[in-house]
């Protein structure tokens, strides 16, 4: 082992002792050639990227058009999350719940440690101290990821507050989430993503892909954090956070949960339609994927974005769909699995300009063979590069949430927007969420499944207990946000999308804030309060008669079937499912029969 391994002794004797001990244990198991403690500095990043360029891990993009930007090509078998290989390992199987794959902790450690045995020979072990959330926020939580992937280090540097300040906080607090990662052989048959919520630990082997390898993200900030949040009285959610400023200068913050690759990044960075812009409406971005919230002294929910960057889906990102995202990724960006133009610019389907010559696998582009960019290709970029970046992202107190939104891809039945009657009804709406699957996870795309609160792949404990935890926030003291459901993806008889989406979604947000303030109208139905087409400002939006009927209509017969299916779904969780939620389902199902 070289000299940098000895470096770790510099921390011995401090309250970082448990960290040192763990690093030493991992090094003894994995046998790296060297150990490097990441400080997060520019010099460190420059050295790492230069080494990755030299060995082909990173390809330099056109420095004139995309300064400081890189392309990484994954192993073609390693391009998405792997839900079938992702486990929650609690002592009691029921604590993980039917929503998770489960393995007993001892068995899980034994199986994955066998893979880690000697896996870092010839490699460097990187120690990445990181903080999820503003470094000085009481809502933030720290972790340390050990990895043998410099690509992971470079991404974690963008996605988290990584390095010296995080290490100082860990030293002060004396505890942290332990994440151990190795790319292993990138063999899908030797791959596991394992979570040990009771030990605040993660072990991930055999994948270099974002959600499997950047352990601060889904593994820590959702699966482990959701478990921590339950015991500590807060919520860790798969939600964007945006600020909506009206012409009077009031800002309302909205948190919205959608499954992966269903437009969270686009909504978080929305640019208002022309007329709204002129009137002075503005959207600011606090986060695009994860939201941690907790009641403040005034009983409102305050939210932080635990992340510092965006790991967004590239395909479909264009000047038209998301100009803020496109502006953000013109420099200092890592692209993963996109195509290349003749002059080495990144390219993906839906970009709307340029032409690919090389596909994401590095082969000459051939439209008949495969798309230029993988459907789950990504960009990694600092949130601060976004023109709509909200400085409130750094507020240690967080931002007060006025509305929570749930939504999914629902081609039929579900109208554009409706409002929950109260908190319990809102929790049921979240619990009953469904969506078509996307390329963010391996497996079939476009299959309808229940994805409660967009947390199906990410809740680190039994969904029945999770719904109870949500219900508990309605304790008489809290001033909770209103809850809404939206569906941007309703299709017409011809299969076309009926709602224009993107910037026009502001019209729906405006209605929600009108409901929060008591100024906007709605019609009561068994499924919740629906706007009529005239309750929304639709000036300048051309909607067909079919669109108006389906976007603002309530289809009783279809909802009767839907509620029967929701009832069956809740039953799958057995006696742990809170009675209040079952009662709510029955109440609405009965109303639907009237
Ligand atoms: O790959 S990630 O899990 O980080 C992104 C997503 O699928 O939401
Ligand atoms: Mn996500």
């Amino acid at each position: 082992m070289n000299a940098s391994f000895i470096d770790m002794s510099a921390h011995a004797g401090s309250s970082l002792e448990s960290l040192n001990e763990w690093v030493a244990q991992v090094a003894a198991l994995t046998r790296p050639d060297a150990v490097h403690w990441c400080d997060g500095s520019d010099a460190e990043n420059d050295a790492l990227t230069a080494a990755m360029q030299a060995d082909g891990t990173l390809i330099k993009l056109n420095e004139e058009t995309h300064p400081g930007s890189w392309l990484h090509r994954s192993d073609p078998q390693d391009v998405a999350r792997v839900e079938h290989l992702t486990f929650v390992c609690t002592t009691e199987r029921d604590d993980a719940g039917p929503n998770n794959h489960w393995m007993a902790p001892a068995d899980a450690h034994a199986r994955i440690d066998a893979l880690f045995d000697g896996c870092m020979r010839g490699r460097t072990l990187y120690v990445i101290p990181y903080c999820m959330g503003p470094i000085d926020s009481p809502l933030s939580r720290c972790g340390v990821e050990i990895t043998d992937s410099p690509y992971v280090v470079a991404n974690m540097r963008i996605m988290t507050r990584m390095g010296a300040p995080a290490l100082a906080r860990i030293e002060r607090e004396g505890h942290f989430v332990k994440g151990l990662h190795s790319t292993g052989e990138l063999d899908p048959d030797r791959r596991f993503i394992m979570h040990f919520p009771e030990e605040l630990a993660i072990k991930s082997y055999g994948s270099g892909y974002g959600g499997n390898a950047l352990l601060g993200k889904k593994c820590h900030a959702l699966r482990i954090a959701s478990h921590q949040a339950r015991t500590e009285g807060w919520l860790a959610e798969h939600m964007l956070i945006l600020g909506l400023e009206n012409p009077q200068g009031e800002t309302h913050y909205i948190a919205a949960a959608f499954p992966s690759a269903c437009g969270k990044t686009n909504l978080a960075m929305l640019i208002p339609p022309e007329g709204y812009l002129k009137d002075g409406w503005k959207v600011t971005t606090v986060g695009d994927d994860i939201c941690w919230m907790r009641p403040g002294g005034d009983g409102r929910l305050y939210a932080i974005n635990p992340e510092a960057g965006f790991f967004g889906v590239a395909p479909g990102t264009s000047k038209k769909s998301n100009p803020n995202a496109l502006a953000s990724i013109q420099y200092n960006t890592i692209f993963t699995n996109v195509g290349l133009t003749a002059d080495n610019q990144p390219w993906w389907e839906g970009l709307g300009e340029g032409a690919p010559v090389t596909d994401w696998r590095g082969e000459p582009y051939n439209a008949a063979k495969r798309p230029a960019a993988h459907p789950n290709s990504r960009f990694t970029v600092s949130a601060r590069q976004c023109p709509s970046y909200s400085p409130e992202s750094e507020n240690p107190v967080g931002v007060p949430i006025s509305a929570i939104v749930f939504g999914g891809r629902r081609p039929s039945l579900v109208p554009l927007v409706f409002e929950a009657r109260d908190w319990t009804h809102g929790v049921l709406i979240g619990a009953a969420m469904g969506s078509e699957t996307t390329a963010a996870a391996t497996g079939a795309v476009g299959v309808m499944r229940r994805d409660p609160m967009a947390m199906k792949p990410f809740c680190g404990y039994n969904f029945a207990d999770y719904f109870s935890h949500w219900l508990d926030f309605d304790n008489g003291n809290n001033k909770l946000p209103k809850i809404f459901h939206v569906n941007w993806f309703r299709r017409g008889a011809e299969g076309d999308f009926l709602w224009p989406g993107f910037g026009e979604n502001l019209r729906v947000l405006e209605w929600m804030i009108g409901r929060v303030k008591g100024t906007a109208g709605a019609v009561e139905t068994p499924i919740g309060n629906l706007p009529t087409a005239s309750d929304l400002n639709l000036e300048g939006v051309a909607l067909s008669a079919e669109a108006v009927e389906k976007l603002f209509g309530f289809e009783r017969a279809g909802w009767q079937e839907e509620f029967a299916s929701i009832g069956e779904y809740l039953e799958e969780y057995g006696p742990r499912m809170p009675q209040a939620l079952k009662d709510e389902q029955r109440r609405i199902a009965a109303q639907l029969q009237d």
Side-chain angles (χ1 to χ4, degrees):
M1 286 193 195
N2 76 11
S4 71
F5 181 72
I6 310 297
D7 270 3
M8 59 176 260
S9 63
H11 300 291
S14 70
S15 60
L16 292 177
E17 220 160 326
S18 76
L19 173 55
N20 284 324
E21 260 171 45
W22 174 57
V23 172
Q25 274 169 17
V26 168
L29 174 66
T30 58
R31 308 255 152 218
D33 283 10
V35 172
H36 177 91
W37 288 70
C38 298
D39 62 12
S41 65
D42 288 344
E44 177 181 81
N45 190 55
D46 291 347
L48 278 175
T49 43
M52 284 191 277
Q53 183 177 15
D55 73 10
T57 303
L58 292 182
I59 296 163
K60 183 116 195 72
L61 293 173
N62 186 322
E63 185 62 23
E64 258 160 51
T65 60
H66 292 75
S69 298
W70 304 90
L71 167 65
H72 172 73
R73 293 194 184 113
S74 304
D75 184 285
Q77 303 241 60
D78 183 34
V79 292
R81 282 182 290 101
V82 281
E83 295 181 6
H84 60 297
L85 301 173
T86 300
F87 287 77
V88 170
C89 310
T90 45
T91 310
E92 299 296 328
R93 184 183 199 128
D94 268 358
D95 290 342
N99 46 305
N100 281 302
H101 298 294
W102 175 85
M103 211 185 283
D107 295 346
H109 281 300
R111 278 190 77 169
I112 201 161
D113 285 354
L115 300 178
F116 277 112
D117 193 356
C119 73
M120 294 190 192
R121 279 201 182 91
R123 302 181 185 182
T124 296
L125 178 161
Y126 299 94
V127 183
I128 312 171
Y130 63 85
C131 180
M132 300 311 292
I135 202 91
D136 55 349
S137 170
L139 300 172
S140 301
R141 293 288 183 275
C142 289
V144 176
E145 174 165 359
I146 293 180
T147 181
D148 54 10
S149 162
Y151 166 81
V152 165
V153 178
N155 278 272
M156 285 290 284
R157 182 169 184 266
I158 298 172
M159 296 304 298
T160 73
R161 282 91 171 164
M162 179 263 253
L167 190 62
R169 178 164 171 163
I170 289 168
E171 183 161 21
R172 209 169 59 238
E173 292 183 330
H175 52 85
F176 56 94
V177 170
K178 291 189 173 93
L180 171 56
H181 169 254
S182 170
T183 50
E185 304 81 21
L186 297 176
D187 175 355
D189 292 330
R190 288 167 58 84
R191 181 176 293 164
F192 282 117
I193 322 296
M194 289 173 164
H195 303 75
F196 304 89
E198 294 151 357
E199 304 165 37
L200 301 185
I202 305 154
K203 290 184 178 179
S204 165
Y205 189 91
S207 168
Y209 169 74
N212 304 327
L214 310 179
L215 300 187
K217 199 173 181 35
K218 297 300 167 48
C219 300
H220 177 167
L222 289 178
R223 297 195 192 96
I224 299 291
S226 60
H227 168 94
Q228 262 184 313
R230 181 187 175 212
T231 50
E232 298 173 3
W234 49 285
L235 290 165
E237 299 301 325
H238 192 204
M239 292 177 178
L240 66 90
I241 309 166
L242 65 81
L244 178 58
E245 190 181 326
N246 67 16
Q248 294 76 49
E250 299 165 1
T251 300
H252 286 271
Y253 292 93
I254 297 176
F258 300 85
S260 303
C262 289
K264 282 197 298 300
T265 306
N266 290 341
L267 185 60
M269 299 179 188
L270 180 151
I271 293 185
E274 200 60 46
Y276 279 83
L277 270 181
K278 249 193 240 136
D279 291 346
W281 289 84
K282 195 175 154 190
V283 168
T284 53
T285 310
V286 178
D288 82 327
D289 195 38
I290 302 181
C291 165
W292 287 356
M293 358 183 216
R294 137 175 286 177
D298 59 0
R300 297 189 69 185
L301 289 186
Y302 283 79
I304 61 164
N305 171 14
E307 300 191 285
F310 306 126
F311 184 64
V313 179
T317 305
S318 70
K319 273 197 191 119
K320 193 159 166 276
S321 68
N322 193 337
N324 279 326
L326 202 65
S328 310
I329 58 181
Q330 295 306 303
Y331 62 102
N332 292 353
T333 302
I334 301 172
F335 294 89
T336 301
N337 295 334
V338 299
L340 284 178
T341 63
D343 64 346
N344 242 21
Q345 296 191 48
W347 195 93
W348 49 83
E349 280 67 22
L351 174 60
E353 55 193 31
V357 296
T358 309
D359 72 20
W360 63 276
R361 294 179 64 162
E363 292 175 18
Y365 172 63
N366 173 355
K369 200 167 175 193
R370 67 175 72 97
H374 187 276
N376 193 37
S377 55
R378 300 267 169 171
F379 53 77
T380 319
V381 69
S382 165
R384 289 172 187 274
Q385 290 187 198
C386 184
S388 59
Y389 169 78
S390 168
E392 287 297 306
S393 310
E394 285 299 329
N395 188 339
V397 173
V399 295
I401 299 296
S402 299
I404 288 176
V405 181
F406 295 120
R409 291 179 184 264
R410 296 296 300 256
S412 61
L413 183 66
V414 181
L416 179 63
V417 58
F418 57 98
E419 175 199 54
R421 210 166 289 106
D422 56 23
W423 186 258
T424 302
H425 180 214
V427 174
L428 178 68
I429 289 173
M433 246 172 81
S435 193
E436 292 179 324
T437 51
T438 69
T442 53
V445 168
V447 180
M448 241 302 288
R449 70 165 180 180
R450 296 262 165 234
D451 189 350
M453 276 105 164
M455 285 287 279
K456 167 73 186 73
F458 307 121
C459 183
Y461 62 103
N462 191 319
F463 257 154
D465 299 337
Y466 171 77
F467 302 143
S468 295
H469 181 51
W470 264 83
L471 292 170
D472 284 347
F473 282 84
D474 190 11
N475 61 5
N477 298 323
N478 289 335
K479 295 193 190 69
L480 296 167
K482 268 191 180 288
I483 297 180
F484 298 88
H485 189 283
V486 300
N487 180 21
W488 314 137
F489 300 95
R490 185 70 190 265
R491 290 183 189 265
E494 305 298 320
D496 47 327
F497 287 117
L498 295 176
W499 177 248
F502 302 108
E504 308 300 339
N505 292 338
L506 185 84
R507 300 170 190 277
V508 177
L509 303 183
E510 179 191 20
W511 178 77
M512 289 175 188
I513 298 308
R515 293 298 295 169
V516 168
K517 293 168 53 166
T519 55
V523 181
E524 279 182 39
T525 79
I527 62 161
N529 303 323
L530 266 74
T532 62
S534 58
D535 288 318
L536 254 68
N537 174 6
L538 293 176
E539 212 182 298
V541 188
L543 294 179
S544 65
E546 182 196 20
V548 171
E549 186 192 320
K550 291 186 168 156
L551 294 171
F552 298 97
F554 158 60
E555 297 169 22
R556 186 176 292 269
W559 279 104
Q560 286 172 351
E561 270 176 49
E562 177 75 2
F563 263 78
S565 143
I566 293 168
E568 285 165 22
Y569 178 69
L570 297 184
E571 285 306 326
E572 285 174 24
Y573 290 83
R576 276 166 100 131
M577 183 56 69
Q579 191 59 40
L581 215 54
K582 292 199 270 189
D583 289 347
E584 186 70 5
Q585 183 274 337
R586 282 184 200 136
R587 189 182 62 72
I588 297 171
Q591 267 187 30
L592 284 165
Q593 300 303 328
D594 288 349

